[in-house]
């Protein structure tokens, strides 16, 4: 019997097998058109319909209100660090930025470039907690006159997640949220945010497209002085067709949305994801100290579970041996070392169970 392969990559990450099989079967001939999605015009009726349905299915899954626009852009989540500032800070003096881990630290650094606006450090999880806990929302230093508040809801590298969406109050600036590594993993109320963005390659589809969900009134801030390719309004005004969108990644993302619907939607994913994370953290915590995770329990990510034996050589051996058992890409982020199990929507519970079984066996041999 073949050993099943489980892919724990942080991104580009695991995709549902049925999605890849559908893409395979449609590779040469999409829906009787005689074309591959990869080789058809983005302005063809066939592709326009793929894009339309991808957006509608995403709207259904996240229950996106009508006063929000949806874009499938390029440039990754990283491009949004600047696009948000370029488009939303026109006429403002300050942007508030929460630094709680690797990605929000990079965002904070990048946001100030090509802009005169003051990127104010509203909170820093590093100084206080060494990124093992999150700066509590009550501690964020927010100015009501700021253009927006930027934060990362799930820190992919440090394995930290805000389990409650911050509530800032009615007079406060809109929340701009990097949701790359957790979008569609749990129910959220889109109306709590001004902007949500997410690179597709963590919890949605392949790399190459970034989803941006933006509240309509914020588009009034976009100045025509912002070049069209970086301008939210230009993309919206041209129905996402200002320039060639990443057609194939959008098509695959659309297949993933349909797969999510067939699984019972985000609500079902939330139940499974909670169970997967609970089971894995319990295995770490109950290993008698052989494995450990430094993150404060209330801030532990349900998507990216980091752990270590505390011994560099042993960690390397763990990653090496697990690979031969079909448990792939468990190495931690390059600067972090140790192990990281990314357990996104497409990772089944059986994958987590197989990992735990290997962890026990490894501990028996080396513990
Ligand atoms: C991976 C990641 C990014 C960077 O995404 P790119 O698409 O590579 O630009 C940004 N933010 C978070 C939270 C991520 O996990």
């Amino acid at each position: 019997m073949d050993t099943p392969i489980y892919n724990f990559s942080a991104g580009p990450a695991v995709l549902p097998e049925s999605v890849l099989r559908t893409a395979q079967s449609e590779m040469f001939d999409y829906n009787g058109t005689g074309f591959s999605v990869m080789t058809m015009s983005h302005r063809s009726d066939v592709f326009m319909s793929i894009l339309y349905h991808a957006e509608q299915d995403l709207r259904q899954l996240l229950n996106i209100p009508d006063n929000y626009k949806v874009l499938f852009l390029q440039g990754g989540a990283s491009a949004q660090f600047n696009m948000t500032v370029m488009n939303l800070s026109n006429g403002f003096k300050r942007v508030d930025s929460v630094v709680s881990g690797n990605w929000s630290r990079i965002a904070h650094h990048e946001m100030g470039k090509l802009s005169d606006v003051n990127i104010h450090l509203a909170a820093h999880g590093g100084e206080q907690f060494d990124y093992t806990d999150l700066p509590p929302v009550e501690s964020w230093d927010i100015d009501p006159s700021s253009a927006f508040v930027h934060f990362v809801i799930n820190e992919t590298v440090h394995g930290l997640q805000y389990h409650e969406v911050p509530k800032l109050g009615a007079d406060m600036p809109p929340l701009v949220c990097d949701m790359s590594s957790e979008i569609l993993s749990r129910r959220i109320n889109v109306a709590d945010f001004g902007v949500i963005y997410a690179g597709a390659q963590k919890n949605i589809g392949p790399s190459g497209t970034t989803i941006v969900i933006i509240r309509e009134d914020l588009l009034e801030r976009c100045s025509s002085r912002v070049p069209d390719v970086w301008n939210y309004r230009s993309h919206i005004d041209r129905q996402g067709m200002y320039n060639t969108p990443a057609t194939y990644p959008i098509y695959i993302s659309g297949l993933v949305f349909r797969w999510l619907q067939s699984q019972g939607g985000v609500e079902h994913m939330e139940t499974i994801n909670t169970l997967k994370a609970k089971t894995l953290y319990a295995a770490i915590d109950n290993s008698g100290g052989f494995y450990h995770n430094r993150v404060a329990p209330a801030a532990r990510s349900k998507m990216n579970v980091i752990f270590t034996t505390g011994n560099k050589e042993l960690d390397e051996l763990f990653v090496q041996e697990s690979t031969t058992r079909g448990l792939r890409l468990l190495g931690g982020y390059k600067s972090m070392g140790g192990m990281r199990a990314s357990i996104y929507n497409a990772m089944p519970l059986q994958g987590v169970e197989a990992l735990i079984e290997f962890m026990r066996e490894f501990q028996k041999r080396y513990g």
Side-chain angles (χ1 to χ4, degrees), residues 10-11 75-81 102-104 107 152-157 178-182 197-202 207-210 304 340 344:
S78 301
Q80 293 310 310
F81 300 162
N102 180 69
W103 288 110
S104 49
V152 175
I153 199 160
N154 182 71
E155 282 285 0
T156 323
V157 171
D178 179 348
M179 217 175 261
S180 295
S181 46
E182 72 141 90
Y197 66 84
Q201 73 275 21
K202 308 284 166 55
S207 58
T209 193
T210 306
N304 311 98
R340 170 173 55 176
Y344 300 125

Side-chain angles (χ1 to χ4, degrees), residues 59 64-69 190-191 214-219:
R59 283 185 174 278
I64 302 177
D66 289 342
N67 64 324
Y68 282 74
K69 299 287 188 187
V190 172
I214 181 166
R215 210 176 63 210
E216 222 164 29
D217 60 288
L218 294 172
L219 292 168

Side-chain angles (χ1 to χ4, degrees), residues 89-143:
S89 67
N90 185 24
F92 290 84
K93 291 197 176 63
R94 168 168 154 169
V95 164
D96 287 313
S97 153
V98 175
V99 174
S100 56
N102 180 69
W103 288 110
S104 49
R105 182 165 49 78
I106 295 172
H108 180 78
H109 183 72
E110 288 299 308
M111 283 194 289
K113 295 184 179 173
L114 276 183
S115 168
D116 294 331
V117 73
N118 168 27
I119 309 295
H120 171 75
L121 184 62
H124 197 313
E127 274 160 32
Q128 239 177 314
F129 311 116
D130 192 23
Y131 299 129
T132 56
D133 202 352
L134 290 163
V137 178
E138 307 76 63
S139 76
W140 294 6
D141 174 28
I142 307 294
D143 190 307

Side-chain angles (χ1 to χ4, degrees), residues 100-101 131-135 151-166 178-188 203 270 273-274 277 281 295-305 343-344:
S100 56
Y131 299 129
T132 56
D133 202 352
L134 290 163
F151 79 114
V152 175
I153 199 160
N154 182 71
E155 282 285 0
T156 323
V157 171
H158 288 91
L160 296 155
Q161 186 174 33
Y162 280 101
H163 293 291
E164 307 237 335
V165 170
D178 179 348
M179 217 175 261
S180 295
S181 46
E182 72 141 90
I183 190 165
L184 293 163
S185 69
R186 58 166 159 162
R187 285 166 298 170
I188 50 150
N203 205 25
E270 182 173 337
N273 288 332
T274 301
Y281 282 116
V295 176
R300 285 173 162 185
S301 170
K302 292 183 183 174
M303 294 279 101
N304 311 98
V305 178
I343 50 175
Y344 300 125

